[in-house]
Amino acid sequence: MALLRVNPTITLSLSLPYNLLSSKPKTSSFSKFTVRSSNLQIQLQPHESRKLVVAVKEKLEKEHHSLPVGKNGRDDEDMILWFLKDRKFSVEDAVFKLTKAIKWRQDFGVSELTEDAVKDIAQTGKAFVHDFLDINERPVLVVVASKHFPKDPTADERLCTFLVEKALSKLPPGKEQILGIVDLRGFGTQNADIRYLTFLFDVFYYYYPKRLAQILFVDAPFVFTPIWQLVKPLLKSNSSLVRFCSADTVRKEYFTEETLPSNFRD
């Protein structure tokens, strides 16, 4: 059984799938593995989460043997654990979402994306990974909307995915999420691209769950309002991560003078 804590004074029992967890609490010196969901907290002992990882791994091998192995493959235990956390430790749900994510990585060719492969589209300056972390020690992915002109959706999606991978590779020890910034200053109808914006959020929802801590829409002009109204229902739970703010807020609340992205220094 796992412990579900609603508040400091109430503790409930929670049955986890497959009956993999011991029904008898044991005293242990191990620190607890914690996953937060809203105001609820699921706590698992390390040996219990390990059993769930093995269950997912065995199920993937049995039912989806053709999926690749290795880093970000069906036997990648770090990836399995992350998707278990995202799916609140449901083995069935984690297997379903992992299968989709691994197939997508294979079909999209994520492992083949390099600086050289995306250099042409990256030179537009429409998106980049900032050189510095924010004040919360999170890697920062910046999209400059005024430099985006929808011409080659595939190239845009490849750049987006490459930058997400690059941002995640910059995570400091103990950190798990990145910050996204969409600079909407100078945005016009010629820059509108519902497909790209939806792809960006889909990537984080389906393939990099819980990796996006927050996304800032900076100085959104009036013309962006109808676009947001169309896109918001498609974003699922990710819409709650969006914060509309000013460039001044970005400067004061997210960076120091030394670490501020160059496009916010004017």
Side-chain angles (χ1 to χ4, degrees), residues 126-149:
K126 67 172 63 182
F128 60 91
V129 174
H130 185 39
D131 291 335
F132 296 97
L133 306 177
D134 75 347
I135 61 170
N136 295 306
E137 297 187 314
R138 299 173 300 197
V140 182
L141 173 57
V142 181
V143 175
V144 183
S146 63
K147 295 183 178 181
H148 176 71
F149 298 94

Side-chain angles (χ1 to χ4, degrees), residues 99-154:
T99 301
K100 183 173 182 175
I102 296 171
K103 285 182 177 177
W104 171 79
R105 295 184 66 90
Q106 186 177 36
D107 295 342
F108 197 82
V110 175
S111 63
E112 300 168 8
L113 295 176
T114 62
E115 294 274 3
D116 190 60
V118 300
K119 67 178 181 179
D120 290 340
I121 192 73
Q123 286 173 354
T124 64
K126 67 172 63 182
F128 60 91
V129 174
H130 185 39
D131 291 335
F132 296 97
L133 306 177
D134 75 347
I135 61 170
N136 295 306
E137 297 187 314
R138 299 173 300 197
V140 182
L141 173 57
V142 181
V143 175
V144 183
S146 63
K147 295 183 178 181
H148 176 71
F149 298 94
K151 294 180 179 179
D152 188 343
T154 299

Side-chain angles (χ1 to χ4, degrees), residues 25-242:
K26 297 180 180 179
T27 302
S28 173
S29 60
F30 292 113
S31 60
K32 291 183 177 179
F33 183 85
T34 302
V35 181
R36 297 183 182 275
S37 176
S38 184
N39 64 325
L40 301 182
Q41 181 172 298
I42 300 175
Q43 297 183 325
L44 299 182
Q45 297 292 349
H47 71 278
E48 295 170 334
S49 60
R50 170 64 183 166
K51 289 180 180 179
L52 293 174
V53 168
V54 171
V56 171
K57 189 175 178 180
E58 292 176 348
K59 195 170 180 63
L60 285 171
E61 181 178 7
K62 180 179 179 180
E63 299 178 4
H64 304 280
H65 186 73
S66 62
L67 291 177
V69 296
K71 183 174 175 58
N72 297 311
R74 59 176 170 80
D75 61 345
D76 185 333
E77 296 190 358
D78 289 337
M79 186 179 186
I80 291 173
L81 180 56
W82 189 262
F83 275 73
L84 274 168
K85 288 164 59 179
D86 173 60
R87 296 292 88 191
K88 300 179 178 64
F89 289 95
S90 165
V91 170
E92 289 287 352
D93 291 349
V95 167
F96 178 81
K97 199 166 185 178
L98 265 167
T99 301
K100 183 173 182 175
I102 296 171
K103 285 182 177 177
W104 171 79
R105 295 184 66 90
Q106 186 177 36
D107 295 342
F108 197 82
V110 175
S111 63
E112 300 168 8
L113 295 176
T114 62
E115 294 274 3
D116 190 60
V118 300
K119 67 178 181 179
D120 290 340
I121 192 73
Q123 286 173 354
T124 64
K126 67 172 63 182
F128 60 91
V129 174
H130 185 39
D131 291 335
F132 296 97
L133 306 177
D134 75 347
I135 61 170
N136 295 306
E137 297 187 314
R138 299 173 300 197
V140 182
L141 173 57
V142 181
V143 175
V144 183
S146 63
K147 295 183 178 181
H148 176 71
F149 298 94
K151 294 180 179 179
D152 188 343
T154 299
D156 289 332
E157 291 171 2
R158 284 166 59 83
L159 175 63
C160 173
T161 303
F162 171 77
L163 293 178
V164 171
E165 289 275 317
K166 182 177 180 178
L168 291 174
S169 72
K170 294 167 67 72
L171 284 169
K175 299 295 180 178
E176 299 177 328
Q177 295 181 308
I178 68 176
L179 173 69
I181 300 177
V182 179
D183 184 355
L184 289 164
R185 293 173 297 173
F187 175 87
T189 55
Q190 70 275 14
N191 309 119
D193 191 348
I194 293 177
R195 170 175 171 166
Y196 180 71
L197 195 56
T198 303
F199 175 81
L200 176 64
F201 279 97
D202 278 352
V203 159
F204 280 108
Y205 182 81
Y206 292 110
Y207 313 130
Y208 301 94
K210 299 291 191 294
R211 290 300 192 183
L212 185 63
Q214 190 177 37
I215 185 161
L216 308 179
F217 283 179
V218 183
D219 286 334
F222 180 76
V223 70
F224 184 73
T225 302
I227 296 170
W228 173 242
Q229 290 173 341
L230 287 172
V231 172
K232 184 178 179 180
L234 306 176
L235 304 186
K236 306 175 182 62
S237 59
N238 277 333
S239 63
S240 64
L241 303 178
V242 173

